[in-house]
Every structure is written in structure tokens, then in C-alpha cells.
Amino acid sequence: MDATRETVVVTGFAPFRQYVVNPSWEAAKGLKMAGLGLGIDVHIMEIPVSYANSQEVLDDIWQTMTPKVVIHLGIAPGSKGITLEQTGKNHCYKDRDVSGLYPVHHCCIEGGPGQLDSIIDMRSLSKHLKNMGLDVIYSRDAGRYLCDFVYYYSLYHGQGKAALIHVPASGSLASPERLVPQLQTIIHALIRQLGSSAHTTSEYVDSTQVENILHETQSCHVDHIMEIQ
């Protein structure tokens, strides 16, 4: 692999509930086709709407690739704009997945911090993008379902080098034709911010806390998933 090239992983979610075609995965495929410019290899992964199976996909990403950043795309029903999520939460996962399951103790990483923030300053990024004319929303609450769960898991294992972008589930902006160009602009700005001296992994606010608990915690894998009664 060319050492001068960087890898960006983009994920979208598989179908679930009434979303037989998930706009997040369609957008991920559109980004793969459109690309992110010279010097960036785009890899896409579809994540099942399953707590246990999603962890397997994420483990594959973080253990076999060395991404500059992992961009998770999810849908936000009812939203008309693109939302940039700052924070992933560890607890209160009580909604069942497509298999009718939820994590034991309703948590993502047993013993992990209550929440983790991306090293990307989403508030600053959203202001910058608004100045460029994009209608984006800043958020610190990703919803306590698979999007939030996946985000926290990636932030934990990727030392904060992840982003969660919620896209509309319906409407004109949900179409790849309109969504992909805006996502390209957002991701380009995000990568530029990552490249600045003010945002490095070593300065990740939660890195020390994560290091201190890595050897005494474990994630809620498939054998720790119980069925809703």
C-alpha cells in the first residue's frame, strides 16, 4: 500500500424496521463511487442493526485497518438536515435490535466511561460548514440506539478517531444525488481539522481514562446479549 495515501472508512447501516433501503448505506456507497479526492482511499462497510454483530464489523475495521478516521453514517427519522454528533454514550441501550436483543446491563463497554467525545470538534466544524452555506446541526445526543452504540464502540477502540453523521431518513436530502456532495464537503472539512496541530490523538481528552481501564474491562459481545423478555 502507498504510504502517502490515507484510509477513510465510511459505514452505513443495513435495512431495519420500515427502512428496507437504508439511506445511510446508500450514501456510503455513493461516497465510495464519488471518492474523496487524491490521496484518500475510501473503504465502506455495512453494519447490521444488531448490537452483537455490529461489534464484529467494528472489530474488523479497527484490528485490520489503520484508518485516519472512521465515518459512521446513520439515519435520523424526522430530521430535515444533516446532524454532526459529538458524543457516544455507554449506557441505557434498552431498545431491541433486529433480532429482538439488547446488551446485558444495557451498556456498550462494561466498565467503560459513561460517554466519549470524538477528537473532532463538531461544534467548530458545524459553524464552519454553516458559514459555507450547509444546513448542519450540532448534537451531543445520538439517540441511544445502534448509531449511538456503534459510535461509542468506535470512539473507545479508535481513541476518538471516529465521527457519527446523522442523515435524513426521507425527503429530498435523503437521496444520494443530493446527500453525497454535501457529505464530501463535510468529510473534507473534517479531515482538514484532523490534520491541524490542535487535533491529534495524543490530545484526546479521554485517552488516559481509556488506557487505565483497557485491561480490566470487556465489551458486551454476543455471549453477553440477552433476549428481551
Side-chain angles (χ1 to χ4, degrees), residues 13-17 19 22 48-51 54 75 77 88-103 108 141-153 164 166 228:
F13 282 95
F16 74 109
R17 296 176 182 167
Y19 302 104
N22 195 315
V49 184
S50 159
Y51 293 109
S54 67
I75 58 172
K89 304 295 197 322
N90 192 18
H91 302 290
C92 299
Y93 292 101
K94 299 179 181 180
D95 288 342
R96 61 185 177 180
D97 62 19
V98 293
S99 300
L101 309 177
Y102 65 86
C108 181
D141 185 359
R144 296 304 211 294
Y145 193 46
L146 262 294
C147 289
D148 207 342
F149 184 88
V150 162
Y151 195 24
Y152 183 92
Y153 197 85
L164 171 60
H166 269 131
I228 291 180

Side-chain angles (χ1 to χ4, degrees), residues 188-216:
H188 284 150
L190 183 155
I191 291 173
R192 284 195 298 271
Q193 189 190 104
L194 274 177
S196 72
S197 59
H199 294 88
T200 61
T201 304
S202 62
E203 294 174 356
Y204 177 41
V205 65
D206 289 296
S207 61
T208 302
Q209 187 177 16
V210 171
E211 287 294 333
N212 288 338
I213 65 172
L214 271 178
H215 299 295
E216 59 185 21

